[in-house]
């Protein structure tokens, strides 16, 4: 008796055809998937690039750009040290954040990063006074001044001018552009519209118009 290795069955032409069809379909699906992925990446990258150019060139709306004085808005009944509050000001599309530092100082800023317009968040546990942070590209802003301390943002956060009334309520009363003090922003916005308030701030019509002209040239 002889022992021999078992011989494989003869190939079935129909099975070969089915395998080839399956291989072709997988290859086509893979190509489609790669194309879809590349198209998505290109679309997102293009959107970020366009957004960056638009923000840098001033095409998109910038917080605090309005020349007229915005209406005062009550944003909180009270804001305690170490607390923050997200709100909208001066318009319903303008994201803003208010923080009360541990020494009692009130600070308000646009909550839109000056890099690519991502949301800016308050992080109380960072540094001695907390920080304003953009998670999109690791941008960091000083909580007391709004100036850039780390990351790619090209300029500081525009300010939202806050005041506290005797009953403890917190009001937003105006805005200031990046690099502009709260007083400069209010003087520019008030102009000749609210002379009584401008006088209380020490803004003459000439100084208000001068501040507006100077800032317009810079922007």
């Amino acid at each position: 008796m002889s022992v021999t290795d078992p011989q494989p069955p003869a190939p079935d032409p129909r099975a070969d055809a089915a395998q080839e069809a399956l291989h072709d379909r997988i290859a086509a699906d893979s190509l489609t998937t790669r194309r879809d992925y590349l198209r998505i990446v290109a679309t997102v990258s293009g959107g970020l690039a366009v957004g960056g150019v638009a923000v840098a060139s001033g095409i998109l709306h910038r917080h605090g750009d309005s020349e007229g004085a915005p209406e005062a808005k009550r944003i909180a009944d009270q804001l305690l040290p170490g607390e923050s509050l997200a709100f909208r000001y001066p318009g319903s599309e303008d994201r803003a954040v208010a923080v009360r530092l541990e020494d009692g100082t009130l600070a308000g800023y646009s909550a839109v990063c000056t890099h690519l317009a991502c949301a800016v968040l308050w992080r109380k546990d960072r540094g001695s006074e907390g920080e304003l942070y953009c998670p999109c590209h690791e941008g960091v802003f000083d909580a007391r001044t709004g100036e850039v301390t780390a990351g790619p943002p090209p300029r500081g956060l525009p300010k939202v001018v806050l005041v506290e009334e005797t009953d403890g309520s917190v009001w937003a009363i105006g805005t200031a552009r990046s690099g502009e003090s709260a007083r400069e922003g209010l003087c520019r916005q008030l102009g000749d519209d609210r002379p009584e308030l401008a006088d209380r701030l020490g803004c003459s019509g000439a100084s208000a118009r001068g501040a507006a002209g100077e800032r317009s040239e810079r922007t």
Side-chain angles (χ1 to χ4, degrees):
M1 183 175 68
S2 63
V3 179
T4 59
D5 293 330
Q7 299 298 314
D12 185 346
R14 290 175 300 177
D16 289 344
Q19 288 179 353
E20 289 179 2
L22 179 61
H23 179 272
D24 292 342
R25 188 169 65 183
I26 292 173
D29 289 344
S30 298
L31 180 60
T32 300
T33 301
R34 287 195 298 271
R35 284 175 177 169
D36 289 343
Y37 173 76
L38 291 174
R39 184 165 57 249
I40 292 170
V41 170
T43 300
V44 172
S45 299
L48 289 175
V50 170
V53 171
V55 171
S57 61
I59 296 173
L60 296 182
H61 171 76
R62 287 183 182 176
H63 207 115
D65 265 355
S66 60
E67 292 296 335
E71 292 295 326
K73 179 180 180 180
R74 185 187 184 115
I75 64 168
D77 294 333
Q78 189 179 36
L79 196 62
L80 298 177
E83 291 185 343
S84 68
L85 173 70
F87 62 102
R88 302 276 177 149
Y89 187 82
S92 58
E93 75 282 5
D94 296 312
R95 292 172 290 169
V97 59
V99 297
R100 171 86 77 172
L101 302 181
E102 292 295 343
D103 66 359
T105 300
L106 270 174
Y109 303 99
S110 164
V112 178
C113 183
T114 56
H115 180 218
L116 290 178
C118 292
V120 171
L121 310 174
W122 166 246
R123 299 203 297 190
K124 178 183 176 181
D125 58 341
R126 295 301 181 99
S128 60
E129 296 188 310
E131 68 182 19
L132 296 158
Y133 169 70
C134 176
C136 290
H137 302 94
E138 303 294 321
V140 181
F141 303 88
D142 185 273
R144 189 172 290 272
T145 66
E147 294 304 310
V148 180
T149 59
R155 58 187 180 279
L157 293 171
K159 297 178 179 66
V160 175
V161 184
L162 302 178
V163 295
E164 183 177 20
E165 295 294 335
T166 55
D167 63 357
S169 62
V170 179
W171 292 70
I173 62 170
T175 60
R177 295 169 178 164
S178 298
E180 190 177 49
S181 71
R183 182 177 177 278
E184 287 174 331
L186 287 177
C187 287
R188 171 178 53 80
Q189 291 176 331
L190 288 172
D192 297 323
D193 295 336
R194 299 184 187 176
E196 70 289 345
L197 184 53
D199 288 341
R200 287 174 57 189
L201 291 170
C203 304
S204 65
S207 65
R209 286 190 294 272
E214 180 181 352
R215 294 298 165 183
S216 297
E217 289 177 3
R218 292 181 185 178
T219 55

